[in-house]
Amino acid sequence: MNTAGQTADFNSSAGAEIKVVTKRGTSAFHGTAYEYYKDNNWSSNTWQNNWLNYIPGDHVGLPSYHYSRFGGAIGGPLIPKDVLGGKTFFFFNYEGFRYPNSETIDRNVPSPALQLGLLTDSKTGAVDYNLNNAPVIYNGTPYPANYGCTGLCDPLGMGLNPLVSQIWSKYEPGANAGCSQSLCDGANILGFSANLSLPTSSKFAVVRIDHDFSSKQHLMASYRYYNIQLASDDEVDIGGFFPGDKPGTPASGSSDPVQDWYLVAGLTSNLTNNTTNDFHYSWLRNWWSWSRNGAPPQIPGLGGALEIMAGQSETQDLS
């Protein structure tokens, strides 16, 4: 590894230059296997979850998961006899990584009263405004259509938007946390907190072939493959909108996958006692993507997706 000052033979790079040397097979078979396992069941809860647990009625527990990195390698002679003047060897290595990561998310959700069309003046906490055209009953108390208003609370007579009401009742989970975002007023808009699963998994494989044409001619070829799947919190479904998701259980609707292929071949020739020629050819394909669920209409007949409870302070809410 060189950190700075690379010369022209390293393309005069301004950053670090790292050489990765892959093992090669030998005349005897050798192999290894390993796993690194880490469990969090004996770990303490996060500060944010513990803070939420101080609020009466709230409880966000520590998610149970383990961290596992495992793999194996084997190398040896590929062909038991000499071919084209020499021996042929192989080496293969595979490594997998599994990490069921998680984080605590906070979202704004409408209060039960707001879902009925009862708007509370949170500044005074003393007046409720009924935005429905017909009286409603909340917590055993009847609210007439013009309750809390000197005139009509809804001058146009439109009432609570039925599409918004339908989406709220179907896709918004109940509040379970105190206010932690700017829009949460503790009366009309409440808080929802839960653990969001953000699993990470990857797999890596490398195979190398070596052939000695003679004591002065060495050929090598190697292929490497890497794939990583990273769930992200850029889109989160808290209402069970997408198939397989459950209301009140946050589910990631986004991921950032990466997939790489790398092929290299080289011929090293000892031309004389003090002259060596090293020829290499390599091909690299680095593919990555931002994978996101689409935003289809939340109910049949709706022309497009509605953005309800907008203004989340962290990431987009699909519900």
Side-chain angles (χ1 to χ4, degrees), residues 55 104 128 130 178 188 221 233 297:
I55 302 173
T104 302
D128 293 322
N130 185 359
N188 304 294
D233 60 4

Side-chain angles (χ1 to χ4, degrees), residues 167 171 235 241-243 293-300 302-306 318:
I167 293 173
Y171 294 121
E235 288 186 354
F241 178 78
F242 290 103
N293 280 331
Q298 294 96 325
I299 58 176
L302 193 62
L306 291 181
L318 294 182

Side-chain angles (χ1 to χ4, degrees), residues 196-199 231-237 245 250-255 293:
L196 169 66
S197 176
L198 294 174
S232 71
D233 60 4
D234 294 306
E235 288 186 354
V236 178
D237 181 10
D245 296 347
S252 171
S254 56
S255 63
N293 280 331

